[in-house]
């Protein structure tokens, strides 16, 4: 091995091989790393094929690199990591693994005693005892790929008084959020992704997040800075509660699912106003609703009370162009705006952009195109270094669940952004760059 490569291996402190494939040569290289490196701190093999990795080498890395702090790997049988866990005495973060054997075999697993950030893939109820000895130390818990129901979440969360970051699915339910609010007073970041609707029956109240859980969370976790959540139901009072108690909130993202036919309390105009007025530290804001979720007045409130927000995603909000224009009178700090399911015209979109003086990026999916020449009215926002791209609506044939062809309507898109490099030249066929010359109407 050349001296330069050996020096590189000995000096490496962070190794990322995320979403890649390790071949035979890489396996040899990793063995050299295990033998020669003593300073590695971070090892990331997440979404990587580990077929060519020898678990003995991972254990050797752990023994030699006594400052090894963070390891993320792909799905691999957790029992293959027993020696690694025994050697990794300084490990503070571990994500990955999987459980494919009979539950009684996992009594051999003993996780490093300094672990405070943990995510075990496909962990079920039977494997929870593996985590229990560490729960008092845990600051971050990733349950996005765990196989836990609402009761399991409650059992685990109530043992984690020092938890600061939790990532999970909406199977946590309102009851799980109530336990979280009672047990985890230091919580700063909560991310609740949408789970498989089939994992909860439509009639089952467990595994559903609604205003009940949000109110408990706001009242119990006063240090919350980040909240991203999919909800099945929502009320104005729950948003008002967040505005009242969550004074440290910097990033708020809420998606209203369509699994329920009716929502308790729409539109959410007053709740959104109260949330924005109360959470003055907000820098990022996402609100994805359904038709009727927010009126033009509510959209105007977002503009009026978003003084510091720099990034915003809005879905199915407002009723007409008037709401968008009222919105654009505010948002003095807004740099990036994304909108979906819009009822706004090209002319209103262009006018809004001209009023949003800090805007640097715009993405719109679904809007009312010009009836004469699509994209023509968008040119009202043309200016130096501002690129405008249009993807017209189109129909695409896709197979349905039983393999039969199905016609799907793809709505039109608008993308506009500042670039000192000028218009790009690598457009796919579906993209039309808009330039002033495109405003000419053919006779």
């Amino acid at each position: 091995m050349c001296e330069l490569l050996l020096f590189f291996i000995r000096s490496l402190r962070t190794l990322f091989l995320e979403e890649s494939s390790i071949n035979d040569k890489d396996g040899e290289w990793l063995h050299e790393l295990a033998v020669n490196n003593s300073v590695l701190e971070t090892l990331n093999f997440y979404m990587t094929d580990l077929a060519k990795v020898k678990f003995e080498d991972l254990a050797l890395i752990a023994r030699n690199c006594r400052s090894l702090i963070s390891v993320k790997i792909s799905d691999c049988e957790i029992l293959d990591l027993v020696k690694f866990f025994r050697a990794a005495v300084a490990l503070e973060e571990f994500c990955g693994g999987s459980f494919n054997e009979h539950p009684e075999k996992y009594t051999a697993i003993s996780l490093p005693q300094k672990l405070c950030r943990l995510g075990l893939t496909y962990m079920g109820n039977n494997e929870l005892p593996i985590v229990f000895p560490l729960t008092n130390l845990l600051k971050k818990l990733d349950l996005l790929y765990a196989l836990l129901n609402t009761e399991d979440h409650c059992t685990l969360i109530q043992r984690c008084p020092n938890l600061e970051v939790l990532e999970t699915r909406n199977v946590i339910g309102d009851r799980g959020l109530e336990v979280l609010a009672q047990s985890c007073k230091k919580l700063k970041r909560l991310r609740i992704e949408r789970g498989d609707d089939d994992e909860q029956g439509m009639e089952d109240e467990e595994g559903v997040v609604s205003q009940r859980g949000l109110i408990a969370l706001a009242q119990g976790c006063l240090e919350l800075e980040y909240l991203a959540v999919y909800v099945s139901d929502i009320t104005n009072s729950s948003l008002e509660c967040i505005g009242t108690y969550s004074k440290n909130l910097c990033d708020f993202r809420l998606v209203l699912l369509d699994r329920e036919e009716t929502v308790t309390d729409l539109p959410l105009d007053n709740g959104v106003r109260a949330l924005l007025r109360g959470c003055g530290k907000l820098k990022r804001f996402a609100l994805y609703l359904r038709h009727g979720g927010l009126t033009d007045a509510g959209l105007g409130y977002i503009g009026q009370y978003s003084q510091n927000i720099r990034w915003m995603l809005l879905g199915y909000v407002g009723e007409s162009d008037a709401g968008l224009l009222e919105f654009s009178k505010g948002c003095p700090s807004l740099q990036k705006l994304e909108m979906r399911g819009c009822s706004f015209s090209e002319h209103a979109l262009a006018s809004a952009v001209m009023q949003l003086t800090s805007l640097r990026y715009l993405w719109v999916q679904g809007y009312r195109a010009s009836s004469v020449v699509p994209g023509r009215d968008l040119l009202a926002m043309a200016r130096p270094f501002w690129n405008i791209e249009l993807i017209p609506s189109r129909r695409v044939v896709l197979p349905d669940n039983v393999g039969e062809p199905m016609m799907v309507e793809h709505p039109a898109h608008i993308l506009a952004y500042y670039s000192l490099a000028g218009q790009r030249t690598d457009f796919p066929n579906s993209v039309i760059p808009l330039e002033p010359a495109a405003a000419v109407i053919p006779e």
Side-chain angles (χ1 to χ4, degrees):
M1 180 175 295
C2 70
E3 291 296 325
L4 181 60
L5 181 56
L6 188 59
F7 173 79
F8 171 74
I9 288 177
R10 288 173 175 169
S11 306
L12 198 63
R13 293 184 178 271
T14 300
L15 177 59
F16 276 78
L17 293 176
E18 191 169 333
E19 297 187 23
S20 59
S21 180
I22 298 177
N23 56 33
D24 292 327
K25 290 291 185 181
D26 293 327
E28 296 173 6
W29 188 85
L30 286 171
H31 177 73
E32 294 296 331
L33 176 72
V35 172
N36 293 288
N37 186 291
S38 62
V39 297
L40 191 70
E41 297 178 359
T42 301
L43 183 62
N44 190 334
F45 286 160
Y46 187 66
M47 297 291 288
T48 296
D49 182 5
L50 298 181
K52 302 297 182 180
V53 174
K54 296 179 180 179
F55 293 103
E56 292 81 1
D57 286 341
L58 291 180
L60 185 57
I61 289 174
R63 279 198 299 271
N64 291 341
C65 304
R66 309 295 285 185
S67 54
L68 187 62
I69 295 174
S70 174
V71 172
K72 298 180 181 180
I73 64 175
S74 294
D75 303 345
C76 67
E77 173 52 53
I78 204 80
L79 290 172
D80 292 332
L81 299 172
V82 170
K83 293 181 180 179
F84 166 77
F85 286 138
R86 289 175 182 168
V89 294
L91 199 66
E92 297 179 6
E93 179 176 36
F94 177 80
C95 294
S98 62
F99 300 86
N100 304 301
E101 298 292 338
H102 293 291
E104 60 270 15
K105 291 188 177 183
Y106 294 110
T107 57
I109 298 294
S110 178
L111 297 175
Q113 293 304 298
K114 290 188 178 182
L115 270 180
C116 57
R117 302 186 298 276
L118 181 65
L120 294 177
T121 310
Y122 308 131
M123 177 180 65
N125 173 275
N126 291 323
E127 292 77 46
L128 282 179
I130 297 174
V131 182
F132 287 162
L134 302 173
T135 50
N136 194 56
L137 298 175
L138 287 179
K139 294 183 179 180
K140 178 180 179 180
L141 191 55
D142 183 348
L143 301 178
L144 286 172
Y145 301 103
L147 304 179
L148 303 177
N149 60 24
T150 304
E151 185 61 35
D152 298 331
H153 276 79
C154 295
T155 300
L156 179 56
I157 289 169
Q158 66 186 1
R159 295 170 176 258
C160 303
N162 294 303
L163 198 64
E164 297 179 3
V165 180
L166 175 63
E167 298 182 354
T168 186
R169 306 186 312 282
N170 51 12
V171 68
I172 189 175
D174 285 334
R175 194 155 61 87
L177 290 184
E178 289 171 343
V179 172
L180 188 68
Q182 295 167 1
S183 307
C184 306
K185 299 299 184 180
K186 299 179 181 180
L187 192 71
K188 294 183 179 180
R189 294 177 62 88
L190 175 61
R191 174 185 171 197
I192 303 178
E193 288 287 344
R194 178 177 189 171
D196 184 356
D197 287 338
D198 292 335
E199 69 187 8
Q200 314 102 20
M202 294 294 286
E203 73 287 347
D204 187 1
E205 66 179 14
E206 299 292 320
V208 170
V209 174
S210 71
Q211 58 271 7
R212 172 185 148 197
L214 291 183
I215 289 174
L217 181 72
Q219 293 176 340
C221 300
L222 302 182
E223 297 185 20
L224 202 62
E225 298 174 359
Y226 171 95
L227 175 60
V229 57
Y230 286 77
V231 298
S232 297
D233 199 4
I234 189 71
T235 59
N236 280 280
S237 60
S238 62
L239 297 178
E240 292 168 4
C241 189
I242 294 173
T244 299
Y245 292 98
S246 302
K247 297 301 183 181
N248 292 320
L249 205 60
C250 299
D251 193 329
F252 176 80
R253 311 178 190 200
L254 182 141
V255 177
L256 177 60
L257 297 172
D258 57 4
R259 58 177 289 179
E260 302 293 340
E261 290 187 8
T262 59
V263 178
T264 300
D265 187 18
L266 294 182
L268 298 173
D269 296 358
N270 293 332
V272 169
R273 176 175 59 181
L275 184 147
L276 291 172
R277 290 179 67 179
C279 303
K281 295 182 180 180
L282 277 177
K283 297 291 193 300
R284 299 171 70 84
F285 179 73
L287 190 65
Y288 197 100
L289 303 176
R290 59 171 72 176
H291 289 298
L294 203 71
T295 69
D296 281 347
L299 189 54
Y301 293 153
I302 294 179
Q304 183 178 356
Y305 297 107
S306 297
Q307 295 299 309
N308 299 314
I309 294 179
R310 298 176 181 176
W311 171 86
M312 193 178 293
L313 166 63
L314 301 174
Y316 296 96
V317 298
E319 303 164 291
S320 67
D321 288 351
L324 179 63
L325 295 176
E326 190 64 28
F327 161 84
S328 65
K329 294 178 181 178
C331 299
S333 304
L334 190 61
Q335 297 178 359
K336 186 173 183 178
L337 174 62
E338 303 178 32
M339 293 189 289
R340 300 174 180 174
C342 296
S343 60
F344 312 125
S345 68
E346 290 182 0
H347 182 269
L349 288 168
S351 299
V353 167
M354 297 304 292
Q355 291 195 102
L356 296 167
T357 54
S358 296
L359 198 66
R360 298 294 179 266
Y361 175 94
L362 172 71
W363 179 79
V364 182
Q365 180 192 63
Y367 60 95
R368 287 189 285 119
S370 300
S371 58
V372 181
V373 178
R376 184 192 66 173
D377 291 344
L378 294 174
L379 290 165
M381 61 175 165
R383 53 193 183 274
F385 307 112
W386 181 249
N387 298 331
I388 309 172
E389 301 173 8
L390 172 67
I391 304 176
S393 61
R394 62 197 189 282
R395 292 185 176 183
V396 180
V397 178
L398 298 174
D400 63 11
N401 294 333
V402 295
E404 297 295 328
M406 177 178 59
M407 189 70 70
V408 177
E409 184 76 23
H410 282 203
H413 293 242
I414 297 169
L415 177 64
Y417 56 94
Y418 271 117
S419 174
L420 295 178
Q423 194 73 264
R424 63 188 178 118
T425 59
D426 59 345
F427 297 107
N429 294 331
S430 58
V431 175
I432 300 174
L434 296 185
E435 300 177 0
V440 178
I441 301 176
E443 296 181 358

